[in-house]
Amino acid sequence: RLGVGLIVLVASQFASGRQLAATFGGIDWGWAVAALAIHLVYFVLYTDLYVIAYRAVAVRSSLRGMVPVLFASYFLKAVVPVEGAGSMAVLIEDARERGQSGASAAAGTLIVLLADLVSVLHEGQLLGEGSMEKVRNDPRVIQVYLGR
């Protein structure tokens, strides 16, 4: 039965596969590699922000050790979007498993979350406020700054 189910699944997704292949066929790979490199640099710098925040609250961590934990927290945030609480739990649990204080790890994570808050002004008036992701997706901010 599993084989039949797999065949049905593959057959039902064949059109999506063709669309995906067409999309990849039209990619300018130079730009794709550049975008991937920029995202990788961003992720390493963002991970280092956690390492620095943890150091401020006396939680030992390293860039190499934080990368897989942050990947796991990103995955959890995408699967269970609860305003960062799920990803925060992953970071705290990792610190506890390494013999560090969970409360201190929570404080370090809050430092990073606070560092991610922004306020957007337009002509002296507050236009948007909150996390970078929230403000970036605010229709008013998009309208004023991107004209869409």
Side-chain angles (χ1 to χ4, degrees), residues 14 21 43 46 54 72 75 77-79 85 90 99-100 103 113 131 139 148:
F14 186 70
F43 184 77
Y46 192 67
Y54 274 23
F75 174 76
K77 189 190 299 186
V79 174
V90 170
Q100 304 292 307
L113 293 175
S131 71
R148 294 188 213 160

Side-chain angles (χ1 to χ4, degrees), residues 1-12:
R1 282 192 239 167
L2 183 61
V4 172
L6 182 60
I7 291 170
V8 169
L9 178 65
V10 169
S12 68

Side-chain angles (χ1 to χ4, degrees), residues 14-85:
F14 186 70
S16 297
R18 285 190 307 178
Q19 289 173 336
L20 184 63
T23 300
F24 279 122
I27 288 179
D28 181 340
W29 288 101
W31 284 109
V33 169
L36 183 63
I38 289 169
H39 191 74
L40 183 62
V41 167
Y42 166 80
F43 184 77
V44 168
L45 291 174
Y46 192 67
T47 303
D48 198 41
L49 183 60
Y50 277 92
V51 173
I52 292 167
Y54 274 23
R55 190 175 304 139
V57 293
V59 174
R60 289 184 317 275
S61 63
S62 68
L63 188 62
R64 175 182 261 179
M66 283 299 283
V67 166
V69 176
L70 212 51
F71 267 128
S73 76
Y74 274 11
F75 174 76
L76 190 59
K77 189 190 299 186
V79 174
V80 186
V82 287
E83 296 299 321

Side-chain angles (χ1 to χ4, degrees), residues 120-128 144-145:
V120 177
L121 299 174
H122 177 65
E123 297 179 351
Q125 300 296 316
L126 183 63
L127 185 63
V144 169
Y145 283 95

